[in-house]
Amino acid sequence: MATSVNGKNRSAAEPHIIARNLTMAYGSFVLMRDLNFVVKRGDIFIIMGGSGCGKSTLLRHLIGLKEPATGEIMYGDVNFTRAVPEQRELMLRRFGILYQSGALWSSMTLAENIGLPLGEFTDLTPAQIREIAALKLALVGLKGFEDFYPNQISGGMQKRAGLARAMALDPEILFFDEPSAGLDPISSRLLDDLILELRANLGATIVVVTHELASIFTIANNSVFLDAESRVQIATGDPHDMLAHSKDPRVRKFLTRGQEGGDSVGNHE
């Protein structure tokens, strides 16, 4: 049975992000070529594959920090790759990004960190910005921590504060780069649960770079698998379906951590 997002059947959801014949390169070195995938509105989409396959580089292409060697990225019916700078700037305001470290300013309180984009891109008063910052922190389980500094809270809490800042402008799409990096298993699972809760409550499309099987099988309903050796995508779709039906030994080895015949899905649901 198809999963629903805000009462809508996800299988019928419209495409939100489309990669067409995308090639990523550093000079003459081609990292990945001919990537083609679709992220539907409301998906939790995983970019996965082994080390060095270009997962984080693909995320940087999706948010415009790096330009494709060839191909294009579409957001709905708008060509992000070909957009003029003014149009791209407006599109970027619909994105929220959580980097590996959380990327919080150490000299600012959590409320001040979250208020940065609000102060830059809105006409809200300082009191209104403070109120919204408190609301975003409450959404990620940090109510009452507005005046704490990043070095006064744990790594897991810093990730959640970074997520609150990513949500400051109510983005349509959230991008996470290795959100579980450096977290213990309990904090990692709490972050996974938070991602699922935010998708359910906000209806956002979420794109996650990760190699963590527990997270992949807990949160994902769609994905692309990048293979470093062949430099192409070798699978796309629901990771559970990949594990159940893929005949490609590279996909199966990754999704079972080399433990063929194990119950990887069962262990992570």
Side-chain angles (χ1 to χ4, degrees), residues 28-81:
S28 61
F29 176 75
V30 174
L31 183 60
M32 280 284 149
R33 65 180 184 274
D34 301 327
L35 300 181
N36 288 276
F37 57 83
V38 175
V39 183
K40 292 185 177 181
R41 192 171 294 274
D43 274 353
I44 297 181
F45 183 88
I46 301 292
I47 301 172
M48 61 181 174
S51 298
C53 69
K55 298 185 294 294
S56 292
T57 301
L58 176 53
L59 186 143
R60 287 195 288 271
H61 279 73
L62 293 176
I63 62 178
L65 292 180
K66 185 164 176 55
E67 296 302 311
T70 61
E72 57 193 12
I73 297 164
M74 306 285 296
Y75 283 91
D77 58 358
V78 178
N79 191 321
F80 181 69
T81 305

Side-chain angles (χ1 to χ4, degrees), residues 46-51 53 55 100 178-182 208-216 254-255 257:
I46 301 292
I47 301 172
M48 61 181 174
S51 298
C53 69
K55 298 185 294 294
Q100 286 189 31
E178 298 283 4
S180 299
V208 183
V209 171
T210 186
H211 62 273
E212 298 289 344
L213 283 186
S215 292
I216 290 169
F254 181 89
L255 291 177
R257 287 291 187 264

Side-chain angles (χ1 to χ4, degrees), residues 106 108-110 145 147-155 157-158:
S106 61
M108 294 182 174
T109 66
L110 301 189
F145 285 85
D147 296 320
F148 280 64
Y149 288 87
N151 65 0
Q152 295 177 308
I153 58 178
S154 69
M157 295 168 76
Q158 288 177 24

